[in-house]
Amino acid sequence: MENKELIRMFRLTASLMELHDENPFKIKSYTNAVMVLERLESPIHQMDQSQLEKLDGIGKGMAAKIMEAIQTGTHADLARLLETTPEGVVQMLNIKGIGPKKIKTIWKDLGVDTIEGLREACEKNEVSKLKGFGAKTQETILQGLQYTEANKGKVLWAEAEPLALELLSFLKNRPETTAAEIVGEIRRNMETVETLQFLLSLNDDAIWPNFLTELPGISPQESVSGPFVWRGLVDTTGLKVEVRLVPERRFANQVLLYSANPHWLTQPLNDSGDTLMAEAYGEPAASEEEIFQRVKLPYIAPELRESLRVLELARENKLPTLLTDADLKGTVHNHSTYSDGAHTLEQMAVHCQQLGYQYLGICDHSKSAYYANGLNEFRIKEQHKEIDHLNQQLGPFRIFKGIESDILSDGSLDYDNDVLASFDFIVASIHSNLKMDMVKATDRLLTAIQNPYTTMLGHPTGRLLLRREGYPIDHKAVIDACAANQVIIEINANPWRLDLDWRWVEYALSQNVLLSINPDAHSMRGYEDMRYGVLVGRKGGLTPEMTFNAKTREEVATYFEERKRAKGI
């Protein structure tokens, strides 16, 4: 059992206990256990009970429950709670904006115990009449239900990729296979995935599609399959799987056809009205490259096959050289145990150095983020002393002094100017009061961007993919303000965020706004998320030249110094 499954299980236990008004001390013990488990890097299932008992915040009783969960797939408290809670009520716990206490009121006072019943109660204006609810809460619930329904069966790209590669390996290793490829959303680096699509050519079509029943963990959907398309559902997530049988001689044509936005494929490429769609259906080709050559275009990477501007650049032979993982020289926006990180500053720095990076930007939470152990002024001084010591010890590797400063409701940052001036750089982010309309959210961001101490804008919309919609912002106005104030915008590489959205990368680049691939790492393992930021950056056409952390250590130091000087700091 993976760490995230255990964490999910124990978080659910705490929520169900709160729903049933159980002992608050027991609820707290589960909540504390979740916090401890979230900080662990090593696989929990490889630990024995005595090791678990030694973890601060676990203890003997909770260690026994963890062992029980690992060995049986559940534990007694959770099994008991699930037995006495309708499935629909358990599902309600996933709705953003309402907690266990409000769900209990809906269940007990309205007698609603299904998601469908909850939606109907909202639409009939029954929920707003409950004590402690009101029209605003009812609207939040309805929006949450709609968002959940719209994203049903979708998973993050980062979660879909391992399964896609596993299934591709299964298809490629069949003795009858002549060619197999991943296409669709995975190949185009979409941030979320609804369908895993594969193309397959066989040397003996007579076995089609019988052997696909052997695909691990996937249930066939015969009712929506056809003579040349096999469809199924992933048992654990409801993710769709589609395997399409194609003739080997047309394999490259079909790869192009299923690896681009259909609207993009139908755009006229010249005065004769030639399109890549027509070429995909035309003469068989040996490769995608050959098809692009036919229409006198350079090869366009699958992740770029969305933007019409890309076709213009291709016709002018001005396609960008896309950013790669190897271009990144350092990582900024990272957390340590000074706030809510899992590892010490030294551990984060040494691991960063071992990965081959030249520098680390540490950005622990600021004092307003009390829930994340944000730094007060005294602890900032302590951290800066440690950074100075580590820089002497680890040089030429360098730790830059940063902070993730909360953008308050009025757009101000949450330290006095003399404190802000003590940092090398500041990432300004919104973490609280997220229920804003576009005018409020945009004004709040614009005020922060205009602050001379703001170096970088963090996760601009605050979204959590498939969990929570971001607050609405006027992206153009925000990007224009960053251009005017020389503020970098991060692409938060956490696969739940990927914010700035790739759809706005092209516009940011057109305004000469630097972007930074930031993992928002809360542990050493968090550095691995950098690749997801690179993937979506590439999708928007991001180049090394326009990527802030593709700069060398010396270039970054100079940038910070010159910017502070120019701003009179």
Side-chain angles (χ1 to χ4, degrees):
M1 181 176 287
E2 292 188 13
N3 289 18
K4 62 182 180 181
E5 293 175 273
L6 275 167
I7 291 165
R8 195 180 299 125
M9 185 187 300
F10 279 68
R11 187 180 287 123
L12 175 60
T13 305
S15 296
L16 287 170
M17 281 185 161
E18 191 175 347
L19 180 77
H20 287 278
D21 282 331
E22 298 211 356
N23 187 316
F25 293 104
K26 287 189 71 176
I27 296 171
K28 184 70 173 173
S29 68
Y30 275 104
T31 304
N32 288 342
V34 167
M35 292 172 64
V36 173
L37 297 179
E38 283 179 328
R39 289 171 176 261
L40 286 179
E41 285 288 294
S42 54
I44 301 167
H45 69 266
Q46 293 180 3
M47 302 175 73
D48 60 32
Q49 186 159 336
S50 62
Q51 291 173 305
L52 288 169
E53 288 174 10
K54 291 175 184 175
L55 297 173
D56 287 338
I58 295 296
K60 190 173 182 179
M62 190 56 64
K65 294 179 191 298
I66 294 171
M67 292 303 297
E68 181 186 0
I70 291 169
Q71 291 164 6
T72 68
T74 187
H75 61 90
D77 281 343
L78 180 59
R80 171 180 55 81
L81 290 161
L82 288 174
E83 204 172 292
T84 56
T85 313
E87 184 180 347
V89 174
V90 176
Q91 292 170 352
M92 290 179 200
L93 292 168
N94 295 318
I95 301 170
K96 290 294 175 184
I98 53 172
K101 292 188 185 301
K102 277 189 162 57
I103 291 170
K104 181 186 177 183
T105 302
I106 291 167
W107 175 24
K108 298 296 184 181
D109 292 8
L110 281 183
V112 171
D113 60 4
T114 65
I115 293 293
E116 294 75 16
L118 177 57
R119 182 183 290 106
E120 186 178 340
C122 288
E123 291 169 349
K124 288 181 177 179
N125 201 33
E126 294 173 348
V127 173
S128 66
K129 298 171 185 175
L130 292 169
K131 186 178 179 181
F133 281 71
K136 205 167 184 180
T137 300
Q138 179 174 270
E139 183 58 28
T140 297
I141 293 170
L142 201 51
Q143 288 174 358
L145 289 170
Q146 291 167 348
Y147 186 71
T148 301
E149 183 62 30
N151 290 292
K152 192 176 180 180
K154 294 181 182 179
V155 301
L156 302 179
W157 189 96
E159 293 181 349
E161 184 202 26
L163 177 59
L165 293 175
E166 180 185 342
L167 296 182
L168 181 64
S169 176
F170 172 87
L171 294 173
K172 281 190 169 183
N173 289 327
R174 296 288 304 189
E176 305 89 348
T177 299
T178 57
E181 186 58 84
I182 301 170
V183 290
E185 296 158 323
I186 285 282
R187 192 158 187 254
R188 286 160 53 204
N189 294 350
M190 298 298 287
E191 62 269 47
T192 61
V193 176
E194 188 172 12
T195 306
L196 296 179
Q197 290 181 292
F198 302 87
L199 298 185
L200 179 68
S201 292
L202 301 171
N203 55 33
D204 180 8
D205 289 356
I207 68 162
W208 169 266
N210 300 332
F211 72 92
L212 294 177
T213 58
E214 300 173 29
L215 284 169
I218 297 172
S219 299
Q221 282 196 301
E222 294 180 6
S223 61
V224 291
S225 297
F228 304 107
V229 184
W230 181 92
R231 293 185 173 95
L233 286 178
V234 178
D235 297 334
T236 54
T237 62
L239 185 66
K240 298 173 185 173
V241 178
E242 180 180 288
V243 183
R244 190 173 296 270
L245 181 67
V246 299
E248 185 180 3
R249 66 190 188 91
R250 298 198 60 80
F251 192 81
N253 300 61
Q254 295 287 297
V255 168
L256 174 61
L257 188 64
Y258 288 97
S259 298
N261 185 311
H263 178 66
W264 187 86
L265 287 172
T266 58
Q267 294 305 301
L269 302 174
N270 48 43
D271 294 338
S272 303
D274 294 334
T275 67
L276 283 162
M277 180 76 82
E279 289 297 328
Y281 279 109
E283 289 296 313
S287 65
E288 284 184 296
E289 287 82 355
E290 182 183 316
I291 298 173
F292 282 101
Q293 288 169 8
R294 288 178 188 169
V295 292
K296 297 181 172 56
L297 289 179
Y299 177 77
I300 299 173
E303 57 264 46
L304 289 177
R305 299 174 192 173
E306 310 277 352
S307 165
L308 304 188
R309 174 63 178 154
V310 165
L311 286 173
E312 291 177 24
L313 293 173
R315 284 196 292 268
E316 297 167 4
N317 204 27
K318 294 180 180 177
L319 279 178
T321 300
L322 297 179
L323 180 73
T324 68
D325 292 344
D327 292 317
L328 301 181
K329 306 292 194 302
T331 170
V332 295
H333 191 173
N334 304 280
H335 299 260
S336 73
T337 50
Y338 271 95
S339 62
D340 60 344
H343 293 111
T344 66
L345 175 58
E346 182 174 5
Q347 287 173 318
M348 293 294 284
V350 170
H351 189 59
C352 186
Q353 183 184 45
Q354 290 171 343
L355 290 173
Y357 292 119
Q358 298 177 10
Y359 53 89
L360 165 70
I362 197 69
C363 282
D364 278 303
H365 285 287
S366 59
K367 64 180 181 181
S368 294
Y370 57 88
Y371 51 85
N373 192 31
L375 276 68
N376 61 27
E377 288 79 357
F378 175 74
R379 293 176 63 230
I380 288 170
K381 291 179 180 178
E382 282 189 331
Q383 187 183 64
H384 287 184
K385 285 180 184 176
E386 184 176 356
I387 289 172
D388 291 337
H389 171 72
L390 288 170
N391 279 338
Q392 288 184 342
Q393 184 179 324
L394 300 175
F397 180 86
R398 180 165 175 181
I399 304 169
F400 289 103
K401 299 169 182 174
I403 196 79
E404 186 179 15
S405 184
D406 267 29
I407 301 174
L408 304 179
S409 292
D410 62 358
S412 62
L413 304 183
D414 62 341
Y415 291 115
D416 292 336
N417 288 349
D418 59 335
V419 178
L420 294 172
S422 70
F423 296 101
D424 294 316
F425 72 107
I426 289 163
V427 175
S429 305
I430 291 177
H431 291 108
S432 59
N433 302 321
L434 305 182
K435 294 178 183 177
M436 301 176 284
D437 59 23
M438 183 178 288
V439 173
K440 170 62 179 173
T442 303
D443 286 349
R444 189 173 171 184
L445 288 177
L446 294 183
T447 301
I449 291 165
Q450 290 158 7
N451 189 314
Y453 293 93
T454 298
T455 318
M456 190 178 299
L457 180 62
H459 44 74
T461 72
R463 74 181 184 184
L464 292 175
L465 291 165
L466 306 181
R467 289 181 179 174
R468 178 182 75 205
E469 277 192 290
Y471 37 82
I473 67 171
D474 182 339
H475 277 85
K476 188 174 183 297
V478 168
I479 291 168
D480 289 346
C482 287
N485 291 276
Q486 291 184 300
V487 170
I488 303 158
I489 301 178
E490 81 168 4
I491 296 179
N492 191 295
N494 184 308
W496 287 102
R497 291 192 183 273
L498 302 181
D499 183 19
L500 181 72
D501 189 293
W502 62 264
R503 294 162 186 83
W504 286 98
V505 167
E506 188 177 279
Y507 182 73
L509 298 180
S510 75
Q511 301 306 301
N512 291 316
V513 173
L514 284 172
L515 303 178
S516 184
I517 306 295
N518 294 349
D520 198 354
H522 284 66
S523 68
M524 294 187 291
R525 187 181 293 174
Y527 295 141
E528 297 172 12
D529 289 346
M530 296 275 277
R531 66 180 293 254
Y532 305 122
V534 170
L535 288 171
V536 296
R538 286 172 61 91
K539 192 161 183 61
L542 184 58
T543 63
E545 293 74 23
M546 293 301 293
T547 304
F548 177 72
N549 54 321
K551 294 179 180 292
T552 65
R553 175 179 51 247
E554 291 75 21
E555 288 170 336
V556 166
T558 300
Y559 180 94
F560 289 152
E561 290 165 7
E562 290 182 349
R563 190 182 187 286
K564 289 179 74 171
R565 194 178 304 120
K567 297 285 183 179
I569 299 172

